Amino acid sequence: MSDLTTTPRRPRRHDPGRRDRLIDAALTVIAERGVAGTTHREIARVADVPLGSMTYHFASLDEVLAEAFTRHAESVARVFDERLGAAQDRDAAVEAVITLVSDDLLGSRHDLILTVELYVAAARKPALKAVTQAWMRRSRQALERHFDVTTARELDALIEGLVLHSALSTEPMTPEQIRHAVDRYLR
């Protein structure tokens, strides 16, 4: 009879926040490498977890992307809610919109890249288009606190256009030019 020695099993590590860390890691990878460069392996590496954690927590890479972009969209929508919720009247709401674009939406290169990556990926992936639709709906609801439905929709498109223009331009609009564009439309 052979003398087999068994190595004791390592206890399972209790890690209730792992799924959230994987989503955060996915956002980091997307911002650094784009959607095209985002892989299960790279997300697991950034989250410092075994690769198998990806398939344990998510059915596919598309599911990870949808969860990550939903988290990003919700964080931006919260800023819309806070800024416009604090505005006491239409003039304050106009100022809130200008601040949203100049400071919040264009203030973080990381968030700006995530937004552009979401727009591009949503053009091809229906699940991500659903994320953008939910985001636009929530943004318009925040805008509708101070503007009629038609104006809120058009203003939301103007905001997205200003963000994309600034993200893609070699000469992005200055805060003064953004103010002028928003003032011209709303006042």
Side-chain angles (χ1 to χ4, degrees), residues 73 75-87 92-108 111-112 115 135 138-140 142-143 145-147 155-156 158-160 162-163 166 175 178-179 182 186:
S75 73
V76 175
R78 269 192 306 279
V79 174
F80 263 70
D81 289 339
E82 290 166 9
R83 289 267 185 217
L84 289 157
V94 171
E95 290 301 317
V97 169
I98 292 165
T99 301
L100 267 167
V101 176
S102 297
D103 297 352
D104 301 321
L105 299 176
L106 298 176
S108 164
D111 288 347
L112 182 59
T115 298
W135 183 7
R138 188 159 167 202
S139 297
R140 283 188 291 235
L143 292 165
R145 291 179 179 152
H146 302 282
F147 308 102
L155 181 55
D156 191 39
L158 174 64
I159 291 166
E160 288 179 11
L162 290 168
V163 168
S166 292
I178 291 167
R179 172 177 292 284
V182 173
L186 290 175

Side-chain angles (χ1 to χ4, degrees), residues 13-39:
R13 199 166 100 191
H14 181 64
D15 190 1
R18 183 172 288 190
R19 188 173 197 284
D20 282 337
R21 279 201 335 276
L22 288 167
I23 293 169
D24 288 341
L27 288 168
T28 298
V29 173
I30 294 165
E32 289 176 0
R33 296 175 174 242
V35 169
T38 300
T39 63

Side-chain angles (χ1 to χ4, degrees), residues 4 7 15 63 77 145 154 162 171 187:
L4 295 175
T7 54
D15 190 1
E63 182 184 352
R145 291 179 179 152
E154 293 168 352
L162 290 168
E171 295 179 27
R187 294 188 195 192

Side-chain angles (χ1 to χ4, degrees), residues 27-99:
L27 288 168
T28 298
V29 173
I30 294 165
E32 289 176 0
R33 296 175 174 242
V35 169
T38 300
T39 63
H40 283 103
R41 184 175 304 284
E42 190 60 17
I43 294 167
R45 184 190 68 74
V46 169
D48 193 27
V49 300
L51 181 58
S53 291
M54 292 299 298
T55 55
Y56 177 80
H57 289 286
F58 304 99
S60 66
L61 187 57
D62 283 344
E63 182 184 352
V64 178
L65 293 174
E67 293 277 343
F69 281 129
T70 297
R71 180 170 291 175
H72 170 68
E74 286 176 356
S75 73
V76 175
R78 269 192 306 279
V79 174
F80 263 70
D81 289 339
E82 290 166 9
R83 289 267 185 217
L84 289 157
Q88 297 299 312
D89 56 23
R90 185 181 170 96
D91 286 339
V94 171
E95 290 301 317
V97 169
I98 292 165
T99 301

